[in-house]
Amino acid sequence: HIEGDVATSAIAVLPGGDDPQDNAAKKAGRVVYIVRLDTGEKVAEFSDDTGNVQNLSGGSVSLDYHFTGSPAIYSNVPGVVSTRAFVGDAGGRLWRIDMRPTDPEDWKMELFFDTYEDGPLKAETAMDRQPILGAPALALNASNGHLAVVFGNGGIDHIRTA
């Protein structure tokens, strides 16, 4: 749900999807849309062209990979306004969409975690990166109330090495 002027609306977070040609010049699949379920109206768009994609420090970052993961949407109580969504891309990067501001124009999509830059895995080339395909699991940490985000990456064609 998102808050509107008068009421809340059910939404869907729609990642751009796989780009079988992996053609960065076309930017295929390098977008995330948020739409209202009752009208289909586009509420927000996140792409290199919209100016609302950044790293966690607020700096510029580009969408180098198409979105392959299913989104996970967070609200701490079922049936209330959702505040964050998480989705993965084909480069093993996890993105957070911050929907806490009441105006969708103020929403941002942030690079939350790069498996190959922030974690123990290293990729010499873009071909060494593996996609995030499934939706992250979200839970509250019982000891401190912080949101825990758990995800995996790897190619399903090579499940033994993923």
Side-chain angles (χ1 to χ4, degrees), residues 73-129:
I73 301 173
Y74 174 75
S75 64
N76 57 353
V77 178
V80 300
V81 174
S82 298
T83 57
R84 286 162 276 181
F86 296 85
V87 64
D89 70 19
R93 302 186 305 173
L94 186 66
W95 296 84
R96 175 179 68 189
I97 300 172
D98 183 355
M99 301 180 290
R100 289 176 288 188
T102 56
D103 185 350
E105 292 290 321
D106 296 328
W107 293 355
K108 302 288 182 204
M109 186 167 75
E110 302 161 314
L111 179 57
F112 187 71
F113 188 82
D114 185 333
T115 306
Y116 297 94
E117 295 292 327
D118 303 328
L121 301 175
K122 299 299 172 207
E124 298 296 321
T125 69
M127 295 301 295
D128 295 332
R129 289 175 167 264

Side-chain angles (χ1 to χ4, degrees), residues 8 11 17 34 38 42 50 61-62 65 72 90-92 97 99 104 117-118 121-122 135 145 154:
T8 59
I11 60 164
I34 297 179
D38 59 347
K42 181 172 65 171
T50 57
V61 64
S62 63
Y65 306 96
I97 300 172
M99 301 180 290
E117 295 292 327
D118 303 328
L121 301 175
K122 299 299 172 207

Side-chain angles (χ1 to χ4, degrees), residues 33-48:
Y33 299 104
I34 297 179
V35 299
R36 287 179 58 145
L37 289 178
D38 59 347
T39 65
E41 172 190 3
K42 181 172 65 171
V43 175
E45 177 180 336
F46 303 95
S47 70
D48 284 337

